[in-house]
């Protein structure tokens, strides 16, 4: 089960990152070109939100069954253990919270530019945090 979850978590990460990247680029284009916020733009951001939340759920399950998760949480002197047991989960949870805040804030806004700007800020911050804590040596 562990190997399946690890591969699924790694594979889904590609999709989640792609969805986040598309949303960020779409939001930046929306802000710079002053285009109208449409249902298509909302759906793009929603798919990124769903993709990252799904990744979080898979990651939380993996955290408790992985030998690199909860089992090695106290071993902070080992950089690899610290990354997989503390930094990666904590920073990615913060990133997904930011993405969720961006989604929630956009619903209260009326102005298209403000909606795009909200997505651009919060989703970009989330994307950067996620990219900063990917365990690259385990991914490739």
């Amino acid at each position: 089960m562990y190997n399946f979850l690890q591969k699924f978590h790694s594979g889904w990460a590609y999709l989640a990152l792609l969805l986040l990247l598309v949303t960020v680029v779409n939001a930046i284009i929306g802000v710079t070109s002053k285009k109208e916020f449409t249902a298509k733009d909302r759906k793009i951001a929603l798919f990124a939100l769903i993709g990252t939340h799904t990744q979080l759920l898979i990651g939380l399950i993996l955290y408790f069954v992985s030998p690199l998760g909860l089992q090695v949480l106290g071993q902070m002197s080992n950089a690899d253990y610290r990354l997989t047991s503390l930094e990666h989960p904590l920073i990615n949870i913060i990133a997904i919270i930011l993405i969720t805040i961006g989604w929630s804030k956009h619903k209260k806004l009326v102005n298209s530019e403000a909606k795009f700007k909200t997505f651009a800020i919060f989703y970009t911050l989330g994307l950067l945090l996620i990219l900063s804590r990917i365990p690259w040596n385990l991914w490739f």
Side-chain angles (χ1 to χ4, degrees), residues 67-88:
L68 299 173
L70 186 62
Q71 296 174 15
V72 295
L73 183 57
Q75 301 179 27
M76 295 296 114
S77 61
N78 184 319
D80 290 334
Y81 288 168
R82 186 177 60 246
L83 176 63
T84 58
S85 69
L86 179 67
E87 295 172 0
H88 176 73

Side-chain angles (χ1 to χ4, degrees), residues 49-109:
L49 179 78
I50 292 169
T52 55
H53 278 85
T54 303
Q55 181 70 350
L56 173 64
L57 289 175
I58 299 164
L60 286 174
I61 295 167
L62 183 61
Y63 183 76
F64 291 104
V65 300
S66 170
L68 299 173
L70 186 62
Q71 296 174 15
V72 295
L73 183 57
Q75 301 179 27
M76 295 296 114
S77 61
N78 184 319
D80 290 334
Y81 288 168
R82 186 177 60 246
L83 176 63
T84 58
S85 69
L86 179 67
E87 295 172 0
H88 176 73
L90 180 63
I91 297 300
N92 287 332
I93 287 170
I94 293 169
I96 292 170
I97 288 170
L98 287 170
I99 291 165
T100 306
I101 290 170
W103 174 259
S104 296
K105 286 180 77 70
H106 107 275
K107 293 191 285 186
K108 298 173 186 160
L109 300 171

Side-chain angles (χ1 to χ4, degrees), residues 36-52:
E36 193 65 32
F37 188 84
T38 64
K40 180 190 86 151
D41 300 312
R42 186 186 64 78
K43 288 176 187 172
I44 290 171
L46 179 61
F47 287 143
L49 179 78
I50 292 169
T52 55

